[in-house]
Each structure stands twice: as structure tokens, then as C-alpha cells.
Amino acid sequence: QVQLVESGGGLVQAGGSLRLSCAASGRIASSGVMNWYRQAPGKQRELVASITSSGRTNYAYSMKDRFTISRDNAKNTLYLQMNSLKPEDTAVYYCKAVQVVGSYWGQGTQVTVSS
């Protein structure tokens, strides 16, 4: 059993920064991959970034230079540092854990970037 809870979203001006957190309860497999996704109104959910248990990262093209994904395995927490935010970054951001038995999603946290 895995439960994920995102936090850190809010309203920010364009050019500002936010740090999202995803706290996981239950055991997370050390070989598991953690991901951030986002979904804007009227659009499909898209992958933002991923990170392996060893710290290897991958980013969507549009986020690579502005966002940083990290994890603290000891604290069972995933992070997404977002800098130079743009209005088009406005979306609900979701944490996802991938394990052998399946995938788990958090409830999401709203990020709104004003112009």
C-alpha cells in the first residue's frame, strides 16, 4: 500500500518560484521510479520529470532548464523545484510512484501562475 500527498502549490507571479513536495506513506521500492505529471484544464496529463532511486533524472523538453526533480529516500519524499514560472505552467501537479505491483497517484496540488 502506497499513499502519496502533494503540497506546495499556490498562486505565484510569472517569473516566480515554487517548490512542490510529495510525501509517501508505505514502503517505496528502492528500484522504483518517481514522477511528476501535470494537467491543465482541457488538456491531457503530461509528464514533467522523472527520477530513479539512484537519482538519475529525465525532463520534458519545455521544463528542462527551469525545473529540478529530486528525492530524499530516507524521508520518502519527492520534490519539484520550479523556477522562472510561466502562465502556461498553470496546472494541477501530480506525484506518481511506479512499482512492480502497479502505479500510485497523489491527489494533486494546484499551481497557478499569473501574468
Side-chain angles (χ1 to χ4, degrees):
Q1 177 180 298
V2 175
Q3 187 171 52
L4 307 174
V5 180
E6 301 94 337
S7 62
L11 175 64
V12 64
Q13 290 279 347
S17 299
L18 285 173
R19 190 193 194 199
L20 306 183
S21 298
C22 172
S25 62
R27 296 182 64 186
I28 304 296
S30 61
S31 60
V33 174
M34 300 290 290
N35 307 272
W36 284 103
Y37 283 77
R38 71 183 184 185
Q39 187 169 23
K43 296 185 177 181
Q44 293 186 325
R45 190 169 298 184
E46 64 175 341
L47 178 67
V48 174
S50 63
I51 185 169
T52 68
S53 59
S54 63
R56 187 161 13 96
T57 60
N58 189 49
Y59 299 89
Y61 176 81
S62 62
M63 278 75 78
K64 181 173 293 186
D65 295 329
R66 300 182 294 119
F67 293 5
T68 302
I69 187 172
S70 62
R71 66 192 295 171
D72 187 333
N73 290 334
K75 296 180 179 180
N76 248 6
T77 303
L78 178 72
Y79 303 98
L80 183 67
Q81 178 67 47
M82 305 186 294
N83 299 321
S84 302
L85 285 163
K86 305 174 181 179
E88 50 262 47
D89 294 321
T90 295
V92 177
Y93 284 71
Y94 297 90
C95 175
K96 179 186 179 183
V98 180
Q99 297 190 319
V100 173
V101 296
S103 299
Y104 302 87
W105 293 89
Q107 294 291 100
T109 185
Q110 176 71 49
V111 171
T112 302
V113 184
S114 61
S115 60

